[in-house]
Amino acid sequence: SISSKIKSLFIGKLVLDSTNFKYIFTRKDSSRVVHQFHNLRVRINDFLIDSVALDDPTRFLYARNYEIEMKDYMNRTKDSLYWMYVRGIRYDAAQRTLHIKQFEVQPRYDEAAFQRKTGVQQDRFEVVLNNISLKNLNPRLLLQEQQIWTERLNIQNGKINIYRNRMMPMPPGNKLGQYPHQLLDKLELPVSIDTLTGNNINIEYTELSPVTKQSGVINFSRVHGLFRNITNIDSLVAKNGHMTADFDAVFMQSGKLTARFDFTLNDKSGGFAVSGQLKDMNGKDLNVVTKALGKVEIRSCDIQDLAFNIKGNERRASGFVKLLYQNLKIAVLKQDKDNQEFKRKGLVSLVANALVIRNANPLPGEKVRTANVSYTRDIKKSFFNLVWKTLFTGVKDIAGAGNL
């Protein structure tokens, strides 16, 4: 009972507007955890204080349900390069679900000003993720132990744009220890997300070439991603030491891409495996990349099937690549010094197509060509750069373009 005269206190429904909330939890070792929230709108249903309500598993903080809405959150990142926004925050205690209408990372500077601020090569991100839900989120572990345990995180749609200016100097140091699963392991916040699903995400990467002074663009549209076993908690890693990510997307407007990443958790060397397939792509769609970054134009190419299987760590990667294609013709380009426009090198292109490039795989009467590849990582560059370079080494070898 609450006192000798009052055995219980019950409130059927309580609505609190513009509420400041302070949560204090004292651990068994007498240390305290304090959380403060401001400008909340709280709806409380079936609130009961008596001798057993606090330990009732169907209640949280004495109530059957709390519906908590939070004012939009906005803050600058530590490096002061971005604004971070979290909009439409709502928590439903009965459903154990946190809803976020939108999460946005917005650069504070345009592309040129951003590069002046950093002074070195650094990816510039624009991120918008809409209608995020965390289901079966454990509020007690979050508030009392600062641990994120959730069964399912879902993102309905969004976009991620990345820009990099290769004309800037490389930053000091290297990128060892910065693979996705290595960063997860270093995270001070314990995390357990059983399943993360992203739907209808558009991803675009733009790179400014120091050679051509032009930008190449790679895009993945309608990306669907399924991550499993996202965790850095030792007891969970001991049970399942792999974090996997399965993707399907449309690559460069026409290619049908599927890929699977397998990250070995708690592996200091950053062990990983990736396999995938790209089917039915018009090779000419790659010209927005190859012209600006490689001074090569694909005049024609029907990519029928690209399959790959790569394993590696933070130092190197190796694997198997198979590429089936028809009607490959290229043009080697040069740039006009005055207007920077591309022009075809006629003789070089003729020689390349006639004597160097293999215009199909398989060629008539020949077996299918495949490539066993290996690549040593440039430790100043990213995980995805290693995967791409390893794959591209195999593609060039099969096409006969290794020396171009």
Side-chain angles (χ1 to χ4, degrees), residues 127-359:
V127 179
V128 178
L129 303 175
N130 298 312
N131 297 322
I132 304 166
S133 63
L134 288 81
K135 297 182 178 180
N136 282 334
L137 178 69
N138 190 316
R140 283 192 175 92
L141 284 175
L142 181 61
L143 292 174
Q144 297 175 7
E145 304 296 336
Q146 289 78 61
Q147 298 185 19
I148 296 177
W149 288 66
T150 186
E151 184 178 303
R152 190 174 187 89
L153 191 158
N154 185 70
I155 303 167
Q156 191 174 87
N157 59 70
K159 68 174 184 178
I160 301 172
N161 294 336
I162 307 164
Y163 175 83
R164 192 173 187 90
N165 183 350
R166 291 286 183 191
M167 296 179 68
M168 303 294 291
M170 290 291 288
N174 60 60
K175 291 194 172 185
L176 292 174
Q178 295 186 34
Y179 281 6
H181 52 316
Q182 291 177 314
L183 294 175
L184 176 64
D185 186 54
K186 292 176 183 178
L187 193 66
E188 293 183 3
L189 181 72
V191 173
S192 172
I193 303 173
D194 182 72
T195 305
L196 185 156
T197 306
N199 301 291
N200 199 22
I201 311 292
N202 293 322
I203 302 173
E204 184 171 282
Y205 175 76
T206 303
E207 182 174 302
L208 180 62
S209 167
V211 177
T212 67
K213 310 296 190 296
Q214 295 191 17
S215 294
V217 180
I218 296 174
N219 66 69
F220 303 84
S221 58
R222 300 199 292 277
V223 178
H224 173 267
L226 177 64
F227 294 76
R228 293 192 183 277
N229 195 42
I230 303 173
T231 187
N232 55 6
I233 298 170
D234 289 342
S235 60
L236 298 180
V237 172
K239 294 177 181 178
N240 181 359
H242 292 266
M243 176 177 69
T244 60
D246 293 280
F247 295 94
D248 60 79
V250 176
F251 176 60
M252 303 296 287
Q253 321 307 325
S254 61
K256 300 172 182 64
L257 175 68
T258 58
R260 178 180 178 84
F261 293 82
D262 186 329
F263 300 100
T264 305
L265 298 173
N266 206 21
D267 181 355
K268 302 304 180 185
S269 70
F272 73 92
V274 56
S275 58
Q277 187 174 40
L278 176 69
K279 294 180 69 68
D280 304 328
M281 180 174 176
N282 183 349
K284 293 173 68 174
D285 289 335
L286 292 168
N287 280 325
V288 292
V289 183
T290 61
K291 291 173 70 174
L293 303 186
K295 292 201 286 189
V296 172
E297 179 184 5
I298 298 172
R299 308 282 284 191
S300 68
C301 185
D302 302 320
I303 300 173
Q304 298 163 331
D305 187 9
L306 168 63
F308 55 93
N309 196 321
I310 296 168
K311 292 183 178 180
N313 55 38
E314 66 176 1
R315 293 284 183 176
R316 59 188 58 84
S318 60
F320 172 83
V321 179
K322 181 179 75 172
L323 172 63
L324 306 181
Y325 63 94
Q326 297 290 328
N327 306 315
L328 173 59
K329 291 183 180 180
I330 68 167
V332 180
L333 305 175
K334 60 182 179 181
Q335 268 184 300
D336 187 286
K337 293 182 179 180
D338 296 325
N339 58 24
Q340 299 298 305
E341 289 184 358
F342 289 110
K343 295 182 178 179
R344 185 182 180 189
K345 288 184 176 180
L347 180 60
V348 175
S349 298
L350 180 65
V351 171
N353 285 310
L355 302 178
V356 181
I357 294 295
R358 298 164 180 168
N359 73 340

